[in-house]
Coordinates of all heavy atoms in Angstrom, one line a residue:
K320 N 3.2 22.7 -8.8 CA 3.3 23.9 -7.9 C 2.6 23.6 -6.5 O 3.3 24.0 -5.5 CB 2.4 25.0 -8.6 CG 3.1 26.2 -8.9 CD 2.1 27.2 -9.4 CE 2.7 28.5 -9.6 NZ 1.9 29.4 -10.5
A321 N 1.6 22.8 -6.6 CA 0.9 22.6 -5.2 C 1.8 21.6 -4.3 O 1.9 21.8 -3.2 CB -0.4 21.8 -5.5
T322 N 2.5 20.7 -5.0 CA 3.5 19.8 -4.3 C 4.5 20.7 -3.6 O 4.9 20.5 -2.5 CB 4.1 18.8 -5.3 OG1 2.9 18.1 -5.9 CG2 5.0 17.8 -4.5
T323 N 5.2 21.6 -4.4 CA 6.2 22.5 -3.8 C 5.7 23.2 -2.6 O 6.3 23.3 -1.6 CB 6.8 23.4 -4.9 OG1 7.2 22.6 -6.0 CG2 7.9 24.2 -4.4
K324 N 4.4 23.7 -2.7 CA 3.9 24.4 -1.6 C 3.7 23.5 -0.4 O 4.0 24.0 0.8 CB 2.5 24.9 -2.0 CG 2.0 26.2 -1.4 CD 0.8 26.8 -2.1 CE 0.1 27.6 -0.9 NZ -1.3 27.8 -1.3
R325 N 3.3 22.3 -0.6 CA 3.2 21.3 0.5 C 4.5 21.2 1.2 O 4.6 21.2 2.4 CB 2.7 20.0 0.1 CG 1.2 20.0 -0.4 CD 0.2 20.2 0.6 NE -0.2 19.0 1.4 CZ -1.0 19.0 2.4 NH1 -1.5 20.1 2.7 NH2 -1.3 17.8 3.0
I326 N 5.6 20.9 0.3 CA 6.9 20.7 0.8 C 7.4 21.9 1.6 O 7.9 21.8 2.7 CB 7.9 20.3 -0.3 CG1 7.4 19.0 -0.9 CG2 9.3 20.3 0.2 CD1 8.2 18.6 -2.1
M327 N 7.2 23.1 1.2 CA 7.6 24.3 1.8 C 6.9 24.4 3.2 O 7.4 25.2 4.0 CB 7.4 25.6 1.0 CG 8.2 25.6 -0.3 SD 9.9 25.2 -0.2 CE 10.6 26.7 0.6
S328 N 5.8 23.7 3.4 CA 5.1 23.9 4.6 C 5.4 22.7 5.7 O 4.8 22.6 6.7 CB 3.6 24.0 4.5 OG 3.1 22.7 3.9
I329 N 6.4 22.0 5.3 CA 6.7 20.9 6.3 C 7.3 21.4 7.6 O 8.0 22.4 7.6 CB 7.9 20.0 5.7 CG1 7.4 19.3 4.4 CG2 8.4 18.9 6.7 CD1 8.6 18.4 3.7
K330 N 6.7 20.8 8.7 CA 7.0 21.4 10.0 C 8.5 21.1 10.4 O 9.0 20.0 10.2 CB 6.1 20.7 11.1 CG 6.0 21.3 12.3 CD 4.9 20.7 13.1 CE 5.3 20.6 14.5 NZ 4.4 19.7 15.3
T331 N 9.3 22.1 10.9 CA 10.6 21.9 11.3 C 10.8 22.5 12.7 O 9.8 23.2 13.2 CB 11.6 22.6 10.4 OG1 11.3 24.0 10.4 CG2 11.6 22.0 9.0
D332 N 12.0 22.4 13.4 CA 12.1 23.2 14.6 C 12.5 24.6 14.3 O 12.5 25.0 13.1 CB 13.2 22.5 15.5 CG 14.5 22.5 14.8 OD1 14.8 23.4 13.9 OD2 15.3 21.5 15.1
S333 N 12.7 25.4 15.2 CA 12.8 26.9 15.1 C 14.2 27.3 15.0 O 14.5 28.5 15.1 CB 12.0 27.5 16.1 OG 12.4 27.2 17.4
K334 N 15.2 26.5 14.7 CA 16.6 26.9 14.6 C 16.8 27.9 13.5 O 16.1 27.8 12.4 CB 17.4 25.7 14.3 CG 17.6 24.7 15.6 CD 18.9 23.9 15.5 CE 19.1 23.1 16.8 NZ 18.4 21.8 16.7
G335 N 17.6 28.9 13.8 CA 17.9 29.9 12.8 C 18.9 29.4 11.7 O 19.5 28.3 11.8
L336 N 19.0 30.3 10.7 CA 19.8 29.9 9.5 C 21.3 29.4 9.9 O 21.7 28.5 9.4 CB 19.9 31.2 8.6 CG 20.7 31.0 7.3 CD1 19.7 30.5 6.3 CD2 21.2 32.3 6.8
A337 N 21.9 30.2 10.8 CA 23.3 29.9 11.1 C 23.5 28.7 11.9 O 24.5 28.1 11.9 CB 23.9 31.2 11.9
D338 N 22.4 28.3 12.7 CA 22.5 27.1 13.7 C 22.9 25.8 13.0 O 22.3 25.5 11.9 CB 21.2 27.0 14.4 CG 20.9 28.2 15.3 OD1 21.9 28.8 15.7 OD2 19.7 28.5 15.4
P339 N 23.7 25.1 13.7 CA 23.9 23.7 13.2 C 22.5 22.9 13.4 O 21.8 23.2 14.4 CB 25.0 23.1 14.0 CG 25.5 24.2 14.7 CD 24.6 25.4 14.7
K340 N 22.2 21.9 12.4 CA 20.9 21.3 12.6 C 21.2 19.7 12.5 O 22.1 19.2 12.1 CB 20.0 21.7 11.4 CG 19.7 23.2 11.4 CD 19.0 23.7 10.3 CE 18.7 25.2 10.3 NZ 20.0 25.9 10.2
D341 N 20.2 19.1 13.1 CA 20.3 17.6 13.2 C 19.5 16.9 12.2 O 18.2 17.0 12.3 CB 19.8 17.1 14.7 CG 20.0 15.6 14.8 OD1 20.5 14.9 13.8 OD2 19.6 15.1 15.9
P342 N 20.1 16.3 11.2 CA 19.3 15.7 10.1 C 18.5 14.6 10.6 O 17.4 14.4 10.1 CB 20.3 15.3 9.1 CG 21.6 15.2 9.9 CD 21.6 16.2 11.0
D343 N 19.0 13.9 11.6 CA 18.2 12.7 12.0 C 16.9 12.9 12.7 O 16.1 12.0 12.9 CB 19.1 11.8 12.9 CG 20.4 11.4 12.2 OD1 20.3 11.1 10.9 OD2 21.5 11.3 12.8
T344 N 16.6 14.2 13.1 CA 15.4 14.4 13.8 C 14.5 15.4 12.9 O 13.4 15.8 13.3 CB 15.6 15.1 15.1 OG1 16.3 16.3 14.9 CG2 16.3 14.2 16.1
D345 N 15.0 15.6 11.7 CA 14.2 16.6 10.9 C 13.3 15.9 9.8 O 13.7 15.0 9.1 CB 15.3 17.5 10.2 CG 14.5 18.6 9.2 OD1 13.5 19.1 9.7 OD2 14.9 18.6 8.1
N346 N 12.1 16.4 9.8 CA 11.1 15.8 8.8 C 11.5 16.0 7.4 O 11.2 15.2 6.5 CB 9.8 16.4 9.0 CG 9.2 16.1 10.4 OD1 9.4 15.0 10.9 ND2 8.5 17.1 10.9
V347 N 12.2 17.2 7.0 CA 12.5 17.4 5.6 C 13.6 16.3 5.3 O 13.5 15.8 4.2 CB 13.0 18.8 5.5 CG1 13.4 19.1 4.0 CG2 12.0 19.9 6.0
F348 N 14.5 16.2 6.0 CA 15.6 15.3 5.8 C 15.1 13.9 5.7 O 15.5 13.0 4.8 CB 16.8 15.4 6.7 CG 18.0 14.6 6.4 CD1 18.9 15.0 5.4 CD2 18.2 13.4 7.0 CE1 20.0 14.3 5.0 CE2 19.4 12.6 6.4 CZ 20.2 13.0 5.6
A349 N 14.1 13.5 6.6 CA 13.6 12.1 6.5 C 13.0 11.8 5.2 O 13.1 10.7 4.7 CB 12.5 12.0 7.6
L350 N 12.4 12.8 4.5 CA 11.9 12.5 3.2 C 12.9 12.7 2.1 O 13.0 11.9 1.1 CB 10.7 13.6 2.9 CG 9.5 13.5 3.8 CD1 8.6 14.6 3.6 CD2 8.8 12.2 3.5
Y351 N 13.9 13.6 2.3 CA 15.0 13.8 1.4 C 15.8 12.5 1.2 O 16.1 12.1 0.1 CB 15.9 15.0 1.9 CG 17.0 15.3 1.0 CD1 16.8 16.3 -0.1 CD2 18.2 14.7 1.0 CE1 17.8 16.6 -1.0 CE2 19.2 15.1 0.1 CZ 19.1 16.0 -0.9 OH 20.0 16.3 -1.7
K352 N 16.1 11.9 2.3 CA 16.9 10.7 2.2 C 16.3 9.5 1.4 O 17.0 8.7 0.9 CB 17.5 10.3 3.5 CG 16.4 9.7 4.4 CD 17.0 9.3 5.8 CE 16.0 8.6 6.6 NZ 16.4 8.6 8.1
L353 N 15.0 9.6 1.2 CA 14.3 8.5 0.6 C 14.5 8.6 -0.9 O 14.4 7.6 -1.6 CB 12.8 8.6 0.9 CG 12.3 8.3 2.3 CD1 10.8 8.4 2.5 CD2 12.7 6.8 2.7
L354 N 14.7 9.8 -1.3 CA 14.8 10.0 -2.8 C 16.3 10.3 -3.3 O 16.6 10.2 -4.4 CB 13.9 11.2 -3.2 CG 12.5 11.0 -3.3 CD1 11.7 12.3 -3.0 CD2 12.2 10.3 -4.6
A355 N 17.2 10.6 -2.2 CA 18.5 11.1 -2.6 C 19.4 9.9 -2.9 O 19.2 8.7 -2.4 CB 19.1 11.9 -1.4
T356 N 20.5 10.1 -3.7 CA 21.6 9.1 -3.8 C 22.4 9.2 -2.5 O 22.2 10.1 -1.7 CB 22.5 9.4 -5.0 OG1 23.1 10.7 -4.7 CG2 21.8 9.5 -6.3
E357 N 23.3 8.2 -2.3 CA 24.0 8.2 -1.1 C 24.8 9.4 -1.0 O 24.9 10.0 0.1 CB 24.9 6.9 -1.0 CG 25.2 6.6 0.4 CD 25.8 5.3 0.5 OE1 25.5 4.4 -0.3 OE2 26.8 5.2 1.3
A358 N 25.4 9.9 -2.1 CA 26.3 11.0 -2.1 C 25.5 12.3 -1.7 O 25.9 13.1 -0.9 CB 26.9 11.2 -3.5
Q359 N 24.3 12.4 -2.3 CA 23.4 13.5 -2.0 C 23.0 13.6 -0.6 O 23.0 14.7 0.0 CB 22.1 13.5 -2.9 CG 22.4 13.8 -4.3 CD 21.1 13.5 -5.1 OE1 20.4 12.7 -4.9 NE2 20.9 14.5 -6.1
R360 N 22.7 12.3 -0.1 CA 22.3 12.3 1.3 C 23.4 12.7 2.3 O 23.2 13.5 3.3 CB 22.0 10.8 1.6 CG 21.1 10.6 2.8 CD 20.5 9.2 2.7 NE 21.4 8.1 2.5 CZ 21.2 7.1 1.6 NH1 20.1 7.1 0.9 NH2 22.0 6.2 1.4
E361 N 24.6 12.3 2.0 CA 25.7 12.6 2.9 C 26.1 14.1 2.9 O 26.3 14.8 3.8 CB 27.0 11.8 2.5 CG 27.1 10.4 3.2 CD 28.0 9.5 2.7 OE1 29.0 9.9 2.0 OE2 27.9 8.3 2.9
E362 N 26.0 14.6 1.6 CA 26.4 16.0 1.5 C 25.2 16.9 2.2 O 25.6 17.8 2.9 CB 26.3 16.4 -0.1 CG 26.9 17.7 -0.3 CD 26.5 18.4 -1.7 OE1 26.3 17.5 -2.6 OE2 26.3 19.6 -1.8
M363 N 24.0 16.5 2.1 CA 23.0 17.3 2.8 C 23.0 17.2 4.3 O 23.0 18.2 5.0 CB 21.6 16.8 2.3 CG 20.4 17.5 2.8 SD 20.4 19.3 2.4 CE 19.7 19.3 0.8
A364 N 23.3 16.0 4.8 CA 23.6 15.8 6.2 C 24.6 16.7 6.7 O 24.6 17.3 7.8 CB 23.8 14.3 6.5
A365 N 25.8 16.8 5.9 CA 26.8 17.6 6.3 C 26.4 19.0 6.4 O 26.9 19.9 7.3 CB 28.1 17.4 5.3
R366 N 25.7 19.5 5.4 CA 25.2 20.9 5.4 C 24.4 21.2 6.6 O 24.4 22.3 7.1 CB 24.5 21.2 4.0 CG 25.4 21.3 2.9 CD 24.7 21.6 1.6 NE 24.1 22.9 1.5 CZ 23.1 23.2 0.6 NH1 22.7 22.3 -0.2 NH2 22.7 24.4 0.6
Y367 N 23.6 20.3 7.0 CA 22.7 20.4 8.2 C 23.6 20.6 9.4 O 23.5 21.5 10.1 CB 21.9 19.2 8.5 CG 20.5 19.1 7.9 CD1 20.2 18.9 6.6 CD2 19.5 19.2 8.8 CE1 19.0 18.9 6.0 CE2 18.1 19.2 8.2 CZ 17.8 19.0 6.9 OH 16.6 19.0 6.4
R368 N 24.6 19.7 9.5 CA 25.4 19.8 10.7 C 26.3 21.0 10.8 O 26.6 21.5 11.9 CB 26.3 18.5 10.8 CG 25.4 17.3 11.1 CD 26.2 16.0 11.4 NE 25.3 14.9 11.5 CZ 25.1 13.9 10.7 NH1 25.9 13.9 9.5 NH2 24.2 12.9 10.9
A369 N 26.7 21.6 9.6 CA 27.7 22.6 9.6 C 27.0 23.9 10.1 O 27.7 24.9 10.4 CB 28.2 22.7 8.2

Side-chain angles (χ1 to χ4, degrees):
K320 242 186 171 164
T322 302
T323 303
K324 212 168 149 201
R325 292 291 274 181
I326 292 172
M327 296 313 287
S328 68
I329 294 174
K330 200 170 140 192
T331 58
D332 62 28
S333 52
K334 289 206 173 85
L336 184 85
D338 297 329
K340 300 174 181 67
D341 182 0
D343 298 327
T344 55
D345 178 46
N346 297 321
V347 182
F348 189 78
L350 295 172
Y351 184 86
K352 70 181 181 195
L353 295 174
L354 284 156
T356 62
E357 205 172 321
Q359 285 173 322
R360 199 161 50 224
E361 275 167 20
E362 193 199 326
M363 183 59 84
R366 288 177 69 195
Y367 266 74
R368 293 194 181 101

